[in-house]
Amino acid sequence: MTKINSYWLMKSEPDVYSWDDLVAEGEGTWDGVRNYTARNNMRAMQPGDQVFFYHSNIGVEIVGIAEITESNIPDPTDDTGRWSAVKLKPVRKLKRTVTLKEIKADPALADMDLLTKFRLSVSGVKPSEWDYILKLAEG
DNA sequence: GCCAACGTTGGC
DNA sequence: GCCAACGTTGGC
């Protein structure tokens, strides 16, 4: 099994589950996803994969980096067996957040799934995009 | 298997 | 709070 992608972006509404909630918990289970594309992305994840944690609705920005600790586990909120979940832990908060506005304004990031499939809650990030955003956030 | 209706997401 | 985008459901 070859690794296709190691970088991801996961969206959460901060008033439901924020970066601080993840930090407080130490490890979070990402469940309740009811979108096939998002689920397929989650199934492709492997422990050790890096994830941008993104706040939707409020803030609308990437706030931190998390790491997948367990992948392809059954969704505890699902009784049909169709859906999957992953577990992740916080790695670190970005030195400064990177807003959607910035991402939209930057031609280097125009192809991000975040923009082209903006309703997708779990999307892939290319290594080049990952590096670029890290550079924006931390120089 | 098509497609209209419906529901949800998420930016503004 | 509104509305556009788009994924899912269900009737046929």
Side-chain angles (χ1 to χ4, degrees), chain A residues 6 22 29 33 48 52 60 75 77 83-84 128 130 134:
Chain A
S6 306
L22 178 65
T29 302
V33 171
F52 280 140
V60 195
D75 186 334
T77 69
W83 302 103
S84 297
S128 58
W130 180 273
L134 269 190

Side-chain angles (χ1 to χ4, degrees), chain A residues 30-134:
Chain A
W30 208 275
D31 56 25
V33 171
R34 294 293 181 270
N35 173 287
Y36 285 106
T37 309
R39 183 202 66 179
N40 292 342
N41 280 339
M42 295 212 306
R43 287 191 175 170
M45 292 175 181
Q46 294 177 16
D49 283 2
Q50 304 286 108
V51 178
F52 280 140
F53 195 101
Y54 174 92
H55 281 173
S56 61
N57 281 319
I58 301 165
V60 195
E61 60 195 1
I62 297 169
V63 292
I65 296 173
E67 182 179 314
I68 300 298
T69 53
E70 253 187 277
S71 61
N72 218 353
I73 57 178
D75 186 334
T77 69
D78 165 51
D79 50 14
T80 68
R82 283 190 294 167
W83 302 103
S84 297
V86 295
K87 287 189 180 181
L88 73 172
K89 66 177 183 190
V91 174
R92 69 173 193 276
K93 204 168 186 170
L94 292 178
K95 275 186 194 163
R96 70 168 188 88
T97 60
V98 177
T99 62
L100 178 64
K101 200 177 170 188
E102 276 182 84
I103 293 169
K104 275 187 173 170
D106 200 320
L109 300 171
D111 285 337
M112 276 191 82
D113 284 355
L114 177 64
L115 302 182
T116 58
K117 302 169 200 156
F118 78 96
R119 288 184 64 252
L120 197 58
S121 57
V122 179
S123 62
V125 177
K126 296 179 199 70
S128 58
E129 294 163 348
W130 180 273
D131 291 343
Y132 191 93
I133 288 169
L134 269 190

